[in-house]
Amino acid sequence: MAVWADRVPVEEISERARQVKFWRTCLTVLAGLLFGLGWLAAKAFAVLWLAVVWSATAVKVGWQEGRRGAARPR
């Protein structure tokens, strides 16, 4: 067990760990989460908009077909 433990650069890892800025890391994670949330909201509204427009168009076409059918004598 001591063989592989001797090959691990503990000092280098410790030095790099000390260089990490805690609050900057927290702000970066928060910014990433907010960006992702905004991206998901934009996609959701795009799908919602497509559904509303598609439904309105379907109602319009149905209305026009119904009016045309009502005008025909039987």
Side-chain angles (χ1 to χ4, degrees):
M1 195 158 150
V3 175
W4 67 268
D6 292 337
R7 293 188 293 182
V8 175
V10 175
E11 288 79 24
E12 183 181 349
I13 294 171
S14 297
E15 181 61 32
R16 287 187 184 191
R18 279 188 217 100
Q19 292 175 0
V20 173
K21 307 278 191 267
F22 177 75
W23 290 112
R24 183 176 175 108
T25 304
C26 289
L27 289 175
T28 302
V29 170
L30 179 63
L33 290 173
L34 291 174
F35 179 84
L37 183 63
W39 185 83
L40 286 175
K43 293 297 179 184
F45 279 113
V47 169
L48 182 65
W49 176 252
L50 178 64
V52 168
V53 170
W54 192 90
S55 298
T57 304
V59 169
K60 181 180 177 182
V61 169
W63 182 274
Q64 291 171 346
E65 288 291 319
R67 299 265 310 162
R68 216 177 319 150
R72 275 189 252 147
R74 290 187 181 204

